[in-house]
Amino acid sequence: MTLPHRLAFGRYNLLLEAVALLLTSIILFLAVWFTLTKLNQKYLDLRLAEASRVHLFLKQHLNDSQAALASFIKLPDAERTPKVIALFSTFSEIYRIDQDLRIAQIYKAGSQIRTFVGFSFATSKLSRYLAANGERGNFSEIMRGYEDDLPSIYLNIAAGDHLYLGRLNLDYVQNFLTQFSGYSGTPVLLVAQDGFVMLASDPTLRILALDLKHWTQPPSPYRTLTAGGRHWIPVISAPGVLGARIVTLIPTEVLDTQRNALLFFLVTFIGVSLLVRVFKNMHLNRLFTRPIATFAAKMRDLEHGNAIGDSVNINYRFKELADIDVHFRAMAAAIAQREQSLRESEQKYRVLTENIKDVVWTLDVATMRFLYVSPAVEALRGFTADEIMAAPVDAALMPEMGEQLKALVRQRAAALLVGKMPAEHFYCDEIEQPRKDGTTVWTEVVTSYWHNELADRVELHGVTRDISERKRAEAALIVAKQQAEAANCAKSMFLANMSHEIRTPLNAILGFAQVLARDNSLNAIQNKSLNTILRSGEHLLSLINDILDMAKIEAGRVHLRNAPFDLSGLLAEIEGLFWQRTREHNLTLSVETAGLPPQVLGDALRLRQVLINLVGNAVKFTLVGIVKLRVEAVAEGFAFAISDTGVGIDTSELAQIFEPFTQTTSGQKMLGGTGLGLALSHQLVRLMGGQLIAESIPNVGSCFSFTLPLTAIAAPRQPAPATLHPVIGLQPQQPRCRVLIVDDFADNREPLRALLESLNPQPPVLEFREASNGQEAIALWEVWQPQVIFMDMRMPVLSGEEATRHIKMCMAAQPETVRSVIVALTASALEDDRQHILSCGCDEFARKPFRAEELFGILERLTSLQFIRAETLPSAPILLATEEVIARFEKCAVTWRDALQQAVEVGDFDQIQERLKSLADSDPVLYDTLAHWADRYDLDVLMGLWAADAVTDQS
């Protein structure tokens, strides 16, 4: 190891002293320079402040002059005698000017002036001041007089049809400047805007003009002008009255004296400091450095094991050095004693390591040989310590891991030597080691690396412990995890199969219900019963989907499908879904947006599911008021908030509302929902990168909010799709279309065929045939060539997937055959199945129970069939507002309301309809509204009648 270059203490101390002196000098120089700059600036600022007094004097003088000329104008002509005019000493000339700006009369004038009666000012610089006349007067700027080219200021005042002009006598101003200069000790100049020096307190300087642009910067001692054989710093004030500037000339002698004094102090300080340091170092070398060198020689003797001898007779000047000598000798004695103690403790350590259960060992990294192994190794591996130390380290490792572990040890040792790993760092590894009897044992090895400088080697110290029991426990845990995953998978399969089995009969129920709904011959009671069947089936289907989604989330099988979509269009769709329901409940639905881009990247299907759940809950639990959906762009993405003025949630229940199958007290009172909606929404929001937060105040309202990291896409906004009217039939006189329905259950084939036949005109456009499995479908396709095939996926003999692949292959091999459109029909609710089925060759995908308008849309999009649609959308029934229902309901008999409440609480809709019949005659409008709610199975709305009573009673 290469040692760094070392310096003698005396030289090093001298170097530090020199650097310190240099730094001190630099800092002192900067401080002096800063102080001098501040003093100079303060001095110049004071002079500039003094110059402002000249402006004040000049302004006062102008005011006095203005008053004097005004009083002169007020004198009658008879009183304007020469004696009286002589009293107006402020002015050297006074004129009366006519409208053509000519001198009409001279009241006062000096000798040898160039002006006369009839003299015109119309083409002069003074004309613009004369044109702006006024009763208060108008001063000109300082200019050369027209009378004698001397600095002049003119004042004009209008009085009736006359204009009076006076030229101010500036001798008084000149005297003031002279007195001010004598008081301040600095010359003062009065300079016009063009730089012409109008007045000077010291005419001997002979300064006729100043270039004001050259001196616009702040005054500085380094920017001077020369006048009268001296250097001056011009300090120029801001323009004052009449646009004049006061220029104060500061002599540089005062500032030069300050600078020289501070520089002399700096040089003196540096010289004295240098002398002090030289004297100090001479004494430090004699009194400190030499004794330290003597101690170093004694330490070398101690290092080599030589006796240090008796104390050398040195007269130490410092008490600390004498103490070092005493303590050094005490240390030498203590070292000898501790060496003896070390040998004794080494013996104790050996006894300890040889009697503990864990194996303690030391390895030489360079030779890969054990330097020490405790006897406990025999119980662990069957080998004695001597056998282990006699064999190479490879014998302690499994053959397939030996070279890899040795390379790892060398890598860590190299990191220690280059300083990348601290000496106190510990490693913990799990290693499988061979035993003497041929078996293996799993061990935990805790190691640390130490650089033994005396032996010049890197040693690896370790402790090995048997972890066979832990490994067996971990293996059992893995098995348990696999069993849990298998059980979870079995649960998912059970739910999927359950969904399939429930959807299959629902397909027949809802299918035939949709067929019957298109029958115009049904009476009102039949239509009401049919609507009840449809709503009940849809509710059951929604419940199945929620349970499946919850199970897929728990199993980690839900994957987001991010794609660009129109967020504004999605919000408009949500608003359209709930518009009718909120109108029936007399609620206000508000959708507010801010800063939404044309498109965003995300999972529109999952976001739609969450918004429908949250807005649906808000509508369900709000009796009066507003439901608001607000979406705005924020820094983290897009913030969604759904708020309402509903019954609210108690604070104690907020923590549990996101648990599956959990309902709040208000939810139980309203008898609505299964407790899955919020739990499912919470999990879906979490999957999309957000956190669903609930805030609520009982009897005030609730707010559910979340923020999603959706990526904005700068794409043109797509127009919202037009609302399609219901399909009521097929256009007649179209080309025949052959339709093949393939399903192993006749109950599934019959409603689909009946639905399509209900559209057939006369003569028929659609021809139908049916098949019960994939093999029959292929045979019919080959002989009948259908244009449309509705294909079930799960069938005996040959599945729908295999039949689809075969038909598509035949179509590709036989271009002359018909291009059949294959629509997959499946009772599976798993989204993954959609992509799988479409990849088999199906052109479109529809789930059971099928929806009529969805199938019609597929046929309209993929075939040439032309449909007839209704001219208008179905109109919504006109119902009472919620407040009006509650008001009329409270007027009903208490016994009747109690009986109705019992029927609602148990969900007995037969009893509910029976109780409501008594209202048909007494209040038919209330009967129609309540019967409409009962037909829609809106138990939550019905229970709201008594919830409103409870709120009224509490208030």
Side-chain angles (χ1 to χ4, degrees), residues 36-79:
L36 184 62
T37 302
K38 288 296 182 181
L39 288 174
N40 293 343
Q41 189 62 44
K42 185 66 176 179
Y43 180 73
L44 296 176
D45 291 343
L46 289 174
R47 292 303 185 187
L48 186 62
E50 291 177 354
S52 63
R53 301 178 185 177
V54 178
H55 284 298
L56 295 176
F57 164 77
L58 186 57
K59 183 178 182 180
Q60 182 62 39
H61 182 64
L62 294 177
N63 291 337
D64 295 342
S65 302
Q66 187 177 19
L69 184 59
S71 62
F72 173 80
I73 295 172
K74 293 179 181 179
L75 290 175
D77 291 338
E79 295 181 7

Side-chain angles (χ1 to χ4, degrees), residues 9-11 13 279-292:
F9 174 77
R11 293 183 180 179
N13 183 64
F279 180 77
K280 185 196 75 171
N281 281 305
M282 292 173 59
H283 283 268
L284 183 65
N285 184 51
R286 180 173 59 84
L287 299 177
F288 182 77
T289 306
R290 291 177 185 173
I292 290 294

